[in-house]
Amino acid sequence: MTDPASTPLGRMLMDEISPVVMVLTTPLVEAACQKNGLSFIEMLSPFCAFSNIDVPVRTASDQPYRLQKFKLRLFYASDIRQPDSQVARERLLEVITQAGEESLDLHTDAPQTDDLLSRSEYEVMPSWFKFFNKELIRVVSFSDHEAFDHPVACLLVVSTKDERPINRFVDLYNPDHLPSLLNDGAMDPKILKLYLLVHDNQDDGPENTTKLLFEMKSTFGVNVSQLLCINSSQDGLVEHLQNPWISPKSYTSSTLRLGHFLNKDDVNEIRDLTQELASKHIIPYMEEKVRVLNQQVSATRKGFRNQIKNLWWRKGKEDSLDASNGPMYTFSSNESQIRVLGDYAFMLRDYELALSNYRLISTDYKLDKAWKRYAAVQEMMGAAYFMLNHSWKESEHCMENAFNTYLKNVPAGHQNATRCGLWWVEMLKTRDQFKEAAGVYFLIAGEESLHSAVMLEQASYCYLYSKPPMLRKYGFHLVLSGNQYKKSDQIKHAIRTYRRAVSVFKGTTWSYIKDHVHFHIGQWYAFLGLYDAAVIHMLEVLMCSHQSKTTQELFFKNFLNFFQKTGKACELLKLPLPIIDASSLKVVFEDHRTYASSAAVSVTESLWRSFEEEVIPSLSTARTNWLEVQSKFTSKRPKESNICVVGEIIEVGVEFKNPLQISIPLTGISLICELSERSDDGQTDANITGGMLNDQDSKLAADRLLNSSASVVLSDVDCVLEGGSTTMVKLIVTPREEGILKIVGVKWKISGSVSGCYNFVANPMKNKTATRTRKHKHSFSDNLKFAVIKSLPKLEGMIHSIPERVYAGELRYLTLELSNKSEVAVKNLKMKISHPRFLNFGSAEHFDINYPACLQKITGSKRSGPMPMQREGSDSVFLFPNDNVIRKGSSLSWPLWFHAAVPGSVSLYIVLYYEIEDIECSMKYRTLRMFHNMEVLPAIDVSFQLSPQPSTPQKFLVRMDVTNQTSSEDFQMDQLSSLGNQWEISMIDPLFHPPLLMSGQAFSCFFMLKQRHEKSGDSEEISSLHSPIGGDVKLSTKDDDDSLFDVSLSPLSDFHNCERLYQEKQSEGGSHTVDFILISHQVHNKNNPGVSHSPCFLSNHACHCSILGSSPISWVIDGPHEIFHDFSASFCEVSLKMTLYNSSKTVASIRINTMDSSHLGDSGSVFSNQEGWYNVPLESAIKVTSDVRGTILKSLLWESAHPTIWSASSSTKLQLGPGSMAEIPLQVCVFCPGTYDLSNYAVQWNLQPLGAQQNPESGPSSGTCPGYPYYLTVISSSSG
Amino acid sequence: MIVCVAIVGHQNNPLYIQSFTEGDDALKLHHVVHCSLDVVDERVNNPKKSGPMLNETYLGLLYPTENYKVYGYLTNTKVKFILVTTDLDVKDADVRNFFRKFHAAYVDAVSNPFHVPGKKITSKTFAERISTIVKAFGLSSAG
């Protein structure tokens, strides 16, 4: 436990509660002292605090003790009165304003809380707090109810130069000029008088002085008369090693000259004088008084009799009292005397005696309802308890009691309460009860804003130093305090407190509070004209998406306003607004890979790469193992940077996100790039990029940007970011010279004034932990680094009139056009197509042919039509003839055939490879990537059913079911051909012609299929003709032989081969199958002949139709084929109805299984699992592409999700009687628009045996049938 | 009358804060809630009081500010519920009851599979439910 006297409160009490000496001087004394730049009191006061006075004291008890520390307070008589509160307030204001100037240091950061916690309280708190508190206490000094401020002695000082000094002494003690305390009876006017004669040694010799002193002694008494000689130094050049006067007058300028006429003897003389004053006069006088008073008090108040008497007397007095102020107690009253006794004892450090007297009198005052006096006594009791170090609880209780009494019962007692509160706070702080201390500070904060600001700030520090630290309250009180400072126009202080508060809220998600703090700091800085600092804080509040729109507007407007005032319009800031997601960065550039369209760019690189493998030279892609690849790469590209070509654009897509509700206009969005010479070593480059985050460096970047503008062409984009929107901005940079191009960042201007920038390359200092992240960043920054090589030829290619929407089965003739706009020719062209089932190469003869006439059969023996292609190499790679060199400015056209094989969305990938003729080029070849996505709508659904004629085994009845699945188009069937040399087909009724197939119409017709007898001669002849002769049946009404199509000619037979390949999987094949091709054409509506259509033929291929009988269970699915649905509202539910029919003679148990998994039982593996380009069955290709149709094909994840789900039961089981029908409802959910094949179900049937024996002719007793194709087109109604 | 209710996550991040006053004192209430976290911390870290109430979630009156009384409630996952009221004499049982309902509503809200744990609660249903509970509290304490 520490000694109370050494605590801050103890020291404060010993300072404040010490004997007061009233000083009366003549003007000549003051004049003599002023030679030293000091007043008389100032001259003496450094010597009035004694640290080792060692005086024996005996008060009430007989046991003497020794006083060590003592202090006298000297005051001029004119100062012994209640200080003017107005003056005091002005002084406080001055102090605070001055402190505010000092505190506003822009260059240092506000201290962090952790930092503050590690330092002691007194270091952290501004030093003027102490002064402020002292002033507050001083305001209530010299009140009449507290005796410790009453002068104990009076020091009369007369100069030897005064005329008739003895008379001057008498004149000085003039009752008219004495303080009111002595005159109005609050204290005893008979006080100890001491006489001092001051002699200025500069004036004349001491002879006269001795005489005067003798005269004085005879007049006033030997003991009380003194002589003080000053200014012994004649030249005034005395230097004091430790000038004792400096501290009280530290703020004046010429501190060095203070006391320069006082030599060592003078100083010693002053010290002796004050010591004598204290030890020989004041202390003994006080001792004496204590003893006298103690005896009086004992006589009147101690003992049982006196107490009774006292009680009775007070009761009688009660009625006549002024309730608020209590009676006027004169110095002679009992109460005053007890108080004086207590205070004197306190000053003489006899706290026990003081306490007992205070206790005695406090009950009296309480009974008298003299609340002010009562509170003051309670306060002193608390102090006495504290100094005694006895009972902390008691002392606190007394303080609290006093405090509350001042506040509640004493009018205008706030100042007293403040003093009491400050003492109380110190008391609590001594006991580490910081939290309670903060509460007291809060209580004394009061109304006046400046006062409360200081108190609240002190309270905040108390919270900071409480254990554990209450940081949130610290922050809150700082904010409260700052608010009060602002109210009293102390903006600098307000900024200081708010800045400290910032550290509390930093890193938390209490954004409202954070915004408030930063916004106000910003505003105040702006008010002071410090716009730079204001902008820094306003930057913090820009990201205020949680605020209301008006607040956002306010913040934004203020920010712009302050920024404009800084006058640094060209400086680049690291703006938090708008948000740029570095991971969203999309860089498109062309090295050896070039793209025909933006859609081609968006296809995943790995898809392209595996697709290209066959086409490009194996040297660069043949990866025997990964080590080799690594070494090859490093040897080829020393910096592993990307390669781009002079004059070819690099497109960078940057996503700008505006989190606010207000719209932000952005102008001049462009990339920050640097193009350096290739010879630069990478080390220096890296250094520059690493330090790019500082403001200075970003300015540097701007400079560099200007310098390099000649070699780099940048695009400028303007856009307005609407509230809450995300905008992808495409920025383009075109290098004009060879070298190393680095894309450093992006810059933009908000509202045309504030320039912001964003560095794509993240700060390398930041990632120090995981090496994995570093690697990632490294590669990321490398992605933005390009080696610019000299210009290369580049082919531009396009397929003319490629349709976006076709009907299934449509056959089209397309032209591919390749053009070379550069100087150098290209050669060795190769081409690969992903889906030969859909798109196929034509041959050179296909130029200028007349489609569709070229497909028709030519009756003559010579065949001049297109022949089936002879392909070299792989199935899907096409080598252009060697003489095809595309020279400068020329172009090449090539025919292509397109056949829409299956409904659904289809993505066609085409890669064109070419080599550069110029050997010196650093790149030998380039590829052109083309991508087309199209929607194939279901048109004609055709199915064949063959049943053997029981009478003639080689003849079959063919039933062709044709359905027009479109909603608006009509079709005319032209021809049905059966393929294979052993078949002949004919119509049952040769005169019958199938009618026009209207939209939605279904139609069946019957044919006779005959198996030819094998003739050896025939077969040879057929093989020499190189095409199987099938039977063709003309279905159209036109009587024109020429209009028969030759299905053995190039595009048709090629596509048919493809179809065979795909459809093969669906049945077990064998020789019992026959292939059919149905050729039809679209009949255009005659109502609008204005619309010209190209002649459009459709060929439907049905392969491997089995000639064996089918299952006894047949079914059909009914339901809509085309649905409009708004997908923004919900997903689409489609109800279907399945009608089952059992044609057998027994009861069949049927089970319908719906499968939601993306692979059908027979369609092979899932697309997304395949890394590479294989002949992907289109059933799954439909699923892959249809769900991302319309959106960018970027997420591979989607591909595994099936866009349709059977939403009813996954398995239905039922019993079906012989020859009966049943209807089963089905339901399917569709999640995005597209065309879907709902054949992913299977019907399992099981015939129950009829009776005991089984009929062997009835076929199998059980089986499983896969679902029939059923196409459902769902069109988004919102998109139209 | 309940002025403000708040949910604060275990990292002292605000999850939900809703004031029920007409005036524009959101900032003030934010501050009050934020400060009360200090008291919650103090309660939790001072085990001297929690002997018999070791498993008690209700923290009682946290601190009276000049106009408000702040009550607290701490779940086992260290999520804090704060209630700021202007009523000067509130029955402890009422407050307890309120917090119990509040807690149930919170549990339902975070059980929503679309809710991201640790993020602010934006559910409208939750907000409606809370305002119902708050209104009910006003009636019960008035009556």
Side-chain angles (χ1 to χ4, degrees):
Chain A
M1 201 173 278
T2 52
D3 178 25
S6 63
T7 61
L9 178 62
R11 265 179 280 151
M12 194 191 282
L13 287 174
M14 276 155 66
D15 266 6
E16 299 297 323
I17 303 176
S18 59
V20 173
V21 177
M22 182 167 73
V23 179
L24 293 160
T25 56
T26 60
L28 283 171
V29 174
E30 289 300 323
C33 294
Q34 274 306 330
K35 285 182 183 171
N36 294 302
L38 298 163
S39 70
F40 180 74
I41 285 184
E42 278 167 2
M43 192 173 76
L44 256 59
S45 16
F47 307 100
C48 286
F50 315 101
S51 59
N52 197 4
I53 195 169
D54 199 23
V55 181
V57 181
R58 198 170 65 85
T59 50
S61 66
D62 291 334
Q63 199 64 39
Y65 59 95
R66 300 189 86 85
L67 266 184
Q68 298 300 334
K69 283 189 177 177
F70 199 66
K71 193 191 170 184
L72 291 179
R73 291 186 290 162
L74 304 183
F75 288 101
Y76 288 115
S78 52
D79 289 338
I80 298 186
R81 58 186 163 83
Q82 292 251 343
D84 188 355
S85 60
Q86 194 59 43
V87 177
R89 193 173 298 148
E90 273 164 21
R91 277 186 60 182
L92 287 179
L93 197 66
E94 191 191 324
V95 168
I96 289 177
T97 314
Q98 200 190 343
E101 299 294 336
E102 291 160 12
S103 72
L104 196 72
D105 189 359
L106 283 177
H107 302 292
T108 56
D109 285 331
Q112 298 302 304
T113 24
D114 294 341
D115 185 31
L116 288 178
L117 279 170
S118 64
R119 291 169 15 198
S120 86
E121 183 197 354
Y122 294 99
E123 276 176 76
V124 172
M125 284 220 278
S127 56
W128 51 271
F129 275 2
K130 222 172 187 177
F131 180 81
F132 188 89
N133 290 350
K134 217 171 199 171
E135 280 297 314
L136 283 179
I137 291 172
R138 222 181 63 85
V139 166
V140 288
S141 59
F142 301 115
S143 53
D144 51 357
H145 66 287
E146 286 166 328
F148 55 80
D149 276 340
H150 296 175
V152 175
C154 175
L155 185 66
L156 300 153
V157 192
V158 170
S159 169
T160 46
K161 278 163 73 186
D162 279 310
E163 284 183 25
R164 300 170 61 204
I166 309 299
N167 289 4
R168 290 291 295 164
F169 276 123
V170 180
D171 292 344
L172 267 181
Y173 194 78
N174 182 352
D176 296 341
H177 297 131
L178 289 181
S180 57
L181 280 175
L182 274 84
N183 292 338
D184 61 10
M187 63 173 285
D188 192 350
K190 286 182 289 188
I191 60 172
L192 176 69
K193 289 198 197 76
L194 299 165
Y195 302 92
L196 181 68
L197 191 64
V198 171
H199 175 68
D200 190 343
N201 276 344
Q202 282 178 335
D203 293 340
D204 46 12
E207 309 82 35
N208 193 22
T209 319
T210 348
K211 207 181 87 194
L212 273 172
L213 183 64
F214 182 75
E215 201 179 329
M216 254 175 78
K217 281 186 175 167
S218 63
T219 319
F220 305 115
V222 182
N223 284 336
V224 296
S225 304
Q226 294 277 335
L227 173 69
L228 178 68
C229 294
I230 57 168
N231 297 350
S232 307
S233 169
Q234 294 300 319
D235 49 7
L237 291 172
V238 178
E239 299 274 340
H240 298 276
L241 271 179
Q242 287 175 314
N243 197 327
W245 293 283
I246 280 183
S247 56
K249 294 194 86 179
S250 58
Y251 39 83
T252 56
S253 52
S254 59
T255 49
L256 277 177
R257 291 178 58 77
L258 285 177
H260 58 284
F261 284 111
L262 299 170
N263 67 11
K264 210 172 166 189
D265 294 336
D266 291 339
V267 172
N268 282 338
E269 206 176 328
I270 295 172
R271 184 173 291 133
D272 290 345
L273 174 82
T274 53
Q275 182 130 12
E276 198 177 321
L277 199 68
S279 59
K280 294 227 175 101
H281 296 106
I282 291 174
I283 294 175
Y285 173 77
M286 286 168 77
E287 271 180 296
E288 176 72 30
K289 188 116 185 197
V290 165
R291 279 200 294 271
V292 170
L293 286 172
N294 194 35
Q295 273 175 8
Q296 274 184 29
V297 170
S298 304
T300 53
R301 296 293 306 279
K302 297 272 165 75
F304 183 68
R305 205 162 62 98
N306 283 332
Q307 278 186 18
I308 296 290
K309 201 166 83 188
N310 182 38
L311 215 62
W312 176 80
W313 179 71
R314 291 201 187 268
K315 265 201 153 160
K317 235 164 63 168
E318 197 172 22
D319 306 331
S320 62
L321 288 180
D322 181 359
S324 63
N325 247 334
M328 184 62 206
Y329 299 97
T330 54
F331 67 91
S332 50
S333 69
N334 247 331
E335 292 81 1
S336 286
Q337 281 180 347
I338 298 171
R339 170 77 209 213
V340 169
L341 174 60
D343 283 347
Y344 275 30
F346 195 93
M347 286 191 274
L348 290 177
R349 316 275 194 268
D350 190 351
Y351 300 116
E352 295 277 5
L353 180 65
L355 187 60
S356 68
N357 284 292
Y358 288 143
R359 232 187 260 149
L360 188 68
I361 196 177
S362 93
T363 47
D364 290 356
Y365 283 142
K366 196 174 184 182
L367 283 172
D368 285 354
K369 294 198 170 56
W371 294 117
K372 193 174 179 181
R373 285 161 193 275
Y374 169 71
V377 168
Q378 284 284 329
E379 206 178 338
M380 289 312 291
M381 271 168 73
Y385 272 124
F386 177 79
M387 295 308 279
L388 279 172
N389 212 354
H390 269 176
S391 160
W392 288 13
K393 218 168 197 172
E394 278 293 315
S395 58
E396 253 165 60
H397 175 77
C398 288
M399 282 316 221
E400 190 178 352
N401 196 4
F403 186 82
N404 289 336
T405 313
Y406 275 132
L407 276 188
K408 278 182 201 152
N409 295 335
V410 180
H414 191 257
Q415 289 177 336
N416 293 75
T418 303
R419 185 190 67 182
C420 175
L422 288 173
W423 283 358
W424 187 11
V425 160
E426 287 299 328
M427 199 181 281
L428 291 167
K429 276 188 190 172
T430 308
R431 289 161 202 179
D432 285 335
Q433 289 170 309
F434 281 96
K435 204 174 66 174
E436 288 77 7
V440 177
Y441 271 130
F442 194 83
L443 287 176
I444 54 181
E447 305 283 305
E448 207 240 319
S449 57
L450 186 59
H451 180 198
S452 71
V454 179
M455 290 307 151
L456 286 169
E457 198 185 342
Q458 298 193 53
S460 74
Y461 293 121
C462 285
Y463 282 120
L464 179 63
Y465 286 104
S466 63
K467 300 231 167 8
M470 302 180 92
L471 290 180
R472 299 181 193 94
K473 289 205 169 184
Y474 165 65
F476 180 44
H477 282 82
L478 278 175
V479 168
L480 285 179
S481 154
N483 207 19
Q484 296 288 346
Y485 275 128
K486 171 70 185 56
K487 271 189 200 160
S488 50
D489 289 333
Q490 295 291 337
I491 289 179
K492 288 173 183 176
H493 281 293
I495 292 174
R496 185 175 53 82
T497 49
Y498 266 54
R499 277 181 52 170
R500 289 202 165 183
V502 164
S503 66
V504 176
F505 301 112
K506 202 178 219 165
T508 64
T509 46
W510 292 83
S511 34
Y512 278 94
I513 302 175
K514 259 198 306 205
D515 285 354
H516 165 86
V517 172
H518 279 297
F519 177 64
H520 280 91
I521 298 176
Q523 274 201 321
W524 294 335
Y525 270 132
F527 183 79
L528 294 175
L530 300 166
Y531 293 106
D532 284 341
V535 165
I536 291 170
H537 285 282
M538 290 308 290
L539 276 176
E540 299 280 335
V541 297
L542 275 185
M543 297 295 299
C544 50
S545 46
H546 48 274
Q547 297 276 14
S548 68
K549 197 177 173 186
T550 47
T551 321
Q552 290 177 358
E553 267 168 4
L554 177 76
F555 286 179
F556 191 65
K557 220 186 283 165
N558 268 306
F559 169 71
L560 290 181
N561 189 10
F562 297 162
F563 187 84
Q564 276 159 4
K565 284 179 182 163
T566 56
K568 293 178 184 168
C570 57
E571 196 171 304
L572 288 176
L573 283 173
K574 289 194 75 66
L575 286 179
L577 201 74
I579 300 171
I580 294 171
D581 185 6
S583 63
S584 74
L585 216 60
K586 272 191 184 167
V587 184
V588 178
F589 62 99
E590 299 184 328
D591 42 10
H592 63 89
R593 307 162 285 192
T594 60
Y595 299 94
S597 62
S598 58
V601 171
S602 56
V603 177
T604 334
E605 174 66 24
S606 62
L607 279 178
W608 281 123
R609 195 167 280 172
S610 51
F611 181 50
E612 277 172 354
E613 255 170 16
E614 274 182 81
V615 185
I616 58 177
S618 56
L619 190 78
S620 61
T621 45
R623 302 174 177 184
T624 46
N625 63 34
W626 60 274
L627 275 170
E628 197 180 321
V629 170
Q630 193 86 358
S631 62
K632 207 175 283 170
F633 261 81
T634 43
S635 65
K636 259 175 92 180
R637 304 169 181 175
K639 279 174 198 165
E640 277 199 18
S641 54
N642 303 310
I643 291 178
C644 68
V645 181
V646 167
E648 291 181 12
I649 61 167
I650 300 170
E651 193 183 83
V652 181
V654 186
E655 250 178 32
F656 285 85
K657 189 179 175 198
N658 178 8
L660 305 184
Q661 292 169 44
I662 52 175
S663 65
I664 307 171
L666 295 180
T667 54
I669 309 171
S670 70
L671 293 168
I672 308 175
C673 295
E674 28 183 299
L675 186 70
S676 53
E677 290 299 308
R678 191 187 282 273
S679 57
D680 279 6
D681 58 328
Q683 202 55 47
T684 51
D685 277 353
N687 281 346
I688 294 166
T689 346
M692 272 300 295
L693 292 178
N694 308 343
D695 285 346
Q696 275 189 334
D697 279 339
S698 54
K699 218 191 285 175
L700 203 73
D703 292 344
R704 234 184 288 164
L705 186 74
L706 291 172
N707 294 338
S708 63
S709 59
S711 54
V712 170
V713 179
L714 296 162
S715 67
D716 248 12
V717 181
D718 296 349
C719 73
V720 175
L721 292 181
E722 294 302 327
S725 69
T726 305
T727 310
M728 172 69 96
V729 177
K730 292 208 165 136
L731 302 166
I732 291 167
V733 53
T734 317
R736 291 259 171 250
E737 286 171 14
E738 289 175 58
I740 303 286
L741 177 78
K742 252 186 270 176
I743 298 175
V744 179
V746 62
K747 68 185 177 79
W748 64 90
K749 266 190 169 186
I750 291 180
S751 304
S753 60
V754 186
S755 309
C757 70
Y758 180 82
N759 242 323
F760 294 139
V761 187
N763 194 351
M765 328 283 221
K766 254 166 92 179
N767 43 8
K768 53 201 169 199
T769 46
T771 49
R772 234 185 94 202
T773 53
R774 248 182 82 185
K775 246 183 189 167
H776 171 74
K777 299 260 181 181
H778 187 69
S779 68
F780 180 71
S781 67
D782 271 355
N783 279 342
L784 297 171
K785 200 166 148 193
F786 299 91
V788 186
I789 60 171
K790 79 175 199 195
S791 73
L792 285 177
K794 183 182 159 189
L795 277 189
E796 281 170 26
M798 69 173 294
I799 298 173
H800 288 291
S801 67
I802 190 155
E804 286 189 349
R805 204 170 270 208
V806 290
Y807 284 109
E810 227 171 282
L811 187 68
R812 288 203 185 201
Y813 174 77
L814 305 172
T815 320
L816 167 76
E817 190 180 337
L818 300 168
S819 60
N820 182 4
K821 286 180 180 157
S822 67
E823 302 288 321
V824 188
V826 297
K827 58 177 185 180
N828 284 353
L829 280 79
K830 277 193 258 178
M831 190 168 161
K832 187 181 174 188
I833 293 171
S834 61
H835 291 91
R837 195 181 178 189
F838 281 83
L839 194 66
N840 221 328
F841 313 103
S843 62
E845 301 95 69
H846 289 190
F847 277 127
D848 308 320
I849 56 164
N850 183 17
Y851 169 80
C854 64
L855 298 175
Q856 282 163 5
K857 235 175 209 172
I858 290 157
T859 41
S861 60
K862 195 181 152 247
R863 195 183 292 273
S864 66
M867 295 288 289
M869 291 285 307
Q870 294 295 318
R871 290 214 187 83
E872 299 119 71
S874 163
D875 207 20
S876 55
V877 177
F878 173 69
L879 295 175
F880 284 82
N882 273 340
D883 55 339
N884 270 328
V885 175
I886 309 181
R887 307 213 171 273
K888 170 198 172 186
S890 65
S891 64
L892 171 73
S893 297
W894 200 259
L896 294 174
W897 289 105
F898 174 76
H899 177 236
V902 186
S905 284
V906 61
S907 305
L908 291 174
Y909 304 86
I910 303 154
V911 161
L912 193 88
Y913 166 88
Y914 54 96
E915 282 174 20
I916 293 141
E917 206 160 53
D918 189 0
I919 308 297
E920 285 169 33
C921 276
S922 47
M923 244 188 263
K924 281 197 162 164
Y925 67 90
R926 300 188 93 175
T927 55
L928 173 66
R929 295 166 170 183
M930 285 182 268
F931 171 79
H932 289 282
N933 197 7
M934 60 189 75
E935 180 84 20
V936 180
L937 304 171
I940 292 181
D941 183 44
V942 60
S943 61
F944 294 91
Q945 197 153 21
L946 282 81
S947 26
Q949 255 181 346
S951 54
T952 43
Q954 307 290 12
K955 277 188 172 180
F956 298 92
L957 188 66
V958 178
R959 196 186 82 200
M960 179 175 75
D961 297 312
V962 187
T963 319
N964 183 354
Q965 290 171 324
T966 63
S967 56
S968 57
E969 298 294 339
D970 305 338
F971 294 99
Q972 174 66 54
M973 282 171 283
D974 289 328
Q975 173 181 342
L976 177 72
S977 302
S978 68
L979 274 90
N981 46 15
Q982 71 270 42
W983 301 105
E984 260 177 26
I985 193 160
S986 60
M987 249 176 150
I988 287 183
D989 178 8
L991 294 176
F992 172 76
H993 289 293
L996 191 68
L997 197 60
M998 310 292 273
S999 60
Q1001 213 173 29
F1003 169 80
S1004 300
C1005 66
F1006 295 88
F1007 300 89
M1008 183 63 78
L1009 189 70
K1010 204 165 109 190
Q1011 194 161 19
R1012 269 198 222 170
H1013 296 291
E1014 297 284 331
K1015 282 181 199 165
S1016 60
D1018 270 1
S1019 66
E1020 275 170 28
E1021 190 196 346
I1022 288 158
S1023 60
S1024 70
L1025 272 171
H1026 205 282
S1027 73
I1029 287 184
D1032 296 331
V1033 175
K1034 191 172 173 190
L1035 299 172
S1036 64
T1037 48
K1038 275 188 267 175
D1039 274 340
D1040 189 2
D1041 275 352
D1042 288 343
S1043 64
L1044 269 182
F1045 290 88
D1046 188 347
V1047 293
S1048 61
L1049 288 183
S1050 166
L1052 277 178
S1053 66
D1054 286 343
F1055 285 125
H1056 183 76
N1057 286 338
C1058 289
E1059 290 296 321
R1060 271 187 73 88
L1061 212 64
Y1062 286 109
Q1063 294 185 15
E1064 193 167 31
K1065 292 168 181 171
Q1066 294 180 355
S1067 70
E1068 45 275 6
S1071 62
H1072 300 292
T1073 59
V1074 61
D1075 297 353
F1076 295 101
I1077 300 179
L1078 175 72
I1079 296 175
S1080 49
H1081 72 270
Q1082 196 177 340
V1083 178
H1084 297 301
N1085 211 334
K1086 291 184 176 66
N1087 295 342
N1088 49 351
V1091 185
S1092 71
H1093 291 275
S1094 58
C1096 175
F1097 280 86
L1098 292 87
S1099 70
N1100 287 69
H1101 303 255
C1103 301
H1104 310 294
C1105 298
S1106 173
I1107 52 173
L1108 298 174
S1110 60
S1111 76
I1113 307 298
S1114 58
W1115 71 93
V1116 63
I1117 288 189
D1118 270 340
H1121 285 277
E1122 200 169 65
I1123 284 176
F1124 288 87
H1125 186 78
D1126 183 9
F1127 282 92
S1128 61
S1130 70
F1131 54 85
C1132 180
E1133 276 187 325
V1134 185
S1135 296
L1136 305 166
K1137 192 174 79 187
M1138 179 187 251
T1139 312
L1140 286 151
Y1141 177 68
N1142 179 7
S1143 59
S1144 72
K1145 291 186 175 63
T1146 59
V1147 175
S1149 68
I1150 296 169
R1151 185 189 178 117
I1152 300 145
N1153 288 325
T1154 52
M1155 293 163 278
D1156 281 329
S1157 59
S1158 55
H1159 53 89
L1160 299 166
D1162 50 12
S1163 68
S1165 53
V1166 181
F1167 183 82
S1168 62
N1169 292 343
Q1170 287 179 339
E1171 185 58 38
W1173 286 82
Y1174 306 99
N1175 281 336
V1176 175
L1178 235 128
E1179 276 81 3
S1180 62
I1182 290 166
K1183 285 159 219 148
V1184 168
T1185 50
S1186 60
D1187 57 354
V1188 285
R1189 187 173 65 88
T1191 65
I1192 310 164
L1193 250 173
K1194 59 179 177 185
S1195 81
L1196 270 165
L1197 280 174
W1198 267 86
E1199 289 177 357
S1200 57
H1202 199 245
T1204 61
I1205 284 180
W1206 291 100
S1207 55
S1209 62
S1210 63
S1211 173
T1212 313
K1213 210 171 170 184
L1214 74 158
Q1215 298 275 335
L1216 204 59
S1220 61
M1221 280 171 88
E1223 282 186 1
I1224 296 166
L1226 293 172
Q1227 201 176 37
V1228 70
C1229 289
V1230 182
F1231 299 104
C1232 54
T1235 305
Y1236 303 102
D1237 179 8
L1238 301 180
S1239 63
N1240 49 343
Y1241 62 93
V1243 178
Q1244 272 180 3
W1245 48 270
N1246 199 351
L1247 296 181
Q1248 284 168 1
L1250 224 183
Q1253 101 270 25
Q1254 200 177 338
N1255 192 356
E1257 290 164 34
S1258 66
S1261 66
S1262 67
T1264 305
C1265 299
Y1268 300 148
Y1270 178 90
Y1271 291 104
L1272 175 69
T1273 306
V1274 184
I1275 297 165
S1276 174
S1277 65
S1278 58
S1279 67
Chain B
M1 179 192 140
I2 290 178
V3 185
C4 176
V5 291
I7 301 173
V8 181
H10 72 286
Q11 285 164 327
N12 287 338
N13 48 326
L15 296 178
Y16 178 82
I17 184 157
Q18 180 63 52
S19 59
F20 296 94
T21 52
E22 281 84 33
D24 183 26
D25 49 2
L27 179 71
K28 186 174 169 187
L29 292 168
H30 270 256
H31 269 301
V32 168
V33 172
H34 188 237
C35 281
S36 62
L37 295 178
D38 263 340
V39 191
V40 173
D41 278 358
E42 199 186 17
R43 292 271 163 101
V44 173
N45 295 330
N46 264 356
K48 67 180 181 204
K49 279 183 187 168
S50 57
M53 313 192 293
L54 206 61
N55 292 323
E56 176 65 61
T57 48
Y58 177 60
L59 297 174
L61 180 64
L62 292 183
Y63 76 112
T65 63
E66 65 262 65
N67 303 323
Y68 307 122
K69 279 188 159 187
V70 183
Y71 293 87
Y73 183 91
L74 180 78
T75 70
N76 291 324
T77 52
K78 302 281 177 268
V79 174
K80 293 117 192 158
F81 297 107
I82 308 286
L83 163 68
V84 185
T85 173
T86 48
D87 295 332
L88 290 180
D89 49 332
V90 187
K91 275 184 220 130
D92 235 24
D94 282 348
V95 181
R96 250 174 228 274
N97 199 20
F98 171 82
F99 275 128
R100 207 169 296 129
K101 284 188 211 158
F102 195 8
H103 193 174
Y106 168 75
V107 168
D108 287 354
V110 294
S111 304
N112 183 341
F114 295 104
H115 171 76
V116 186
K119 291 271 175 277
K120 291 196 172 175
I121 301 171
T122 49
S123 154
K124 277 180 200 157
T125 323
F126 177 71
E128 277 164 24
R129 196 162 152 193
I130 293 304
S131 62
T132 319
I133 299 173
V134 165
K135 269 177 208 149
F137 179 81
L139 291 176
S140 76
S141 66

